[in-house]
Amino acid sequence: ISFMLTRGHHTVPKWDEEKVPELAQYFRELEYLFRDCQVNDDRQKKDYAVQYLTYDTGETWMSVKEYEGKFTPTATHDKPKPAACAYTYEEWKVEIFKLYPGSESRD
């Protein structure tokens, strides 16, 4: 089993917001790592996807509602609690592509 690379590693997938058409390539490289490292959890995939970005881009991607999921109140708490697996990685990825006109998913 391989392991996911740390943010600063020279071989991590990289994406420059100035090169919008290359967004699909970023996700292809990332998903190759997911398969190689047996990362199957949607939440982990989202976390790794933002880990390799610049701070500002990562913050933008985490602000998309599909990143955290829908919030639902619980009977025992006043604060809302994230619903488990409310949105999949694929649903979130679709929303990321929408942020960047000129990018397209080539899955």
Side-chain angles (χ1 to χ4, degrees), residues 1-98:
I1 295 177
S2 297
F3 57 91
M4 291 298 291
L5 304 167
T6 58
R7 186 178 193 281
H9 196 276
H10 69 281
T11 63
V12 298
K14 294 175 181 66
W15 181 65
D16 180 348
E17 223 175 320
E18 300 292 319
K19 298 177 182 178
V20 171
E22 295 178 9
L23 181 58
Q25 179 64 30
Y26 173 76
F27 278 108
R28 278 192 298 277
E29 291 176 9
L30 191 60
E31 289 159 7
Y32 172 80
L33 275 177
F34 293 159
R35 285 187 299 278
D36 191 46
C37 299
Q38 299 179 355
V39 175
N40 299 308
D41 180 73
D42 285 327
R43 181 59 202 212
Q44 282 186 308
K45 289 179 180 181
K46 293 175 194 180
D47 288 343
Y48 280 120
V50 300
Q51 176 178 317
Y52 301 136
L53 301 170
T54 64
Y55 176 82
D56 289 337
T57 302
E59 288 293 309
T60 299
W61 289 22
M62 287 188 293
S63 73
V64 172
K65 75 175 181 178
E66 288 79 3
Y67 182 79
E68 290 293 338
K70 295 177 183 172
F71 287 88
T72 55
T74 62
T76 57
H77 298 92
D78 295 327
K79 294 183 178 181
K81 177 180 171 185
C85 300
Y87 293 102
T88 67
Y89 165 79
E90 291 298 326
E91 290 170 318
W92 173 75
K93 187 171 84 168
V94 166
E95 297 305 312
I96 297 302
F97 277 98
K98 289 179 183 177

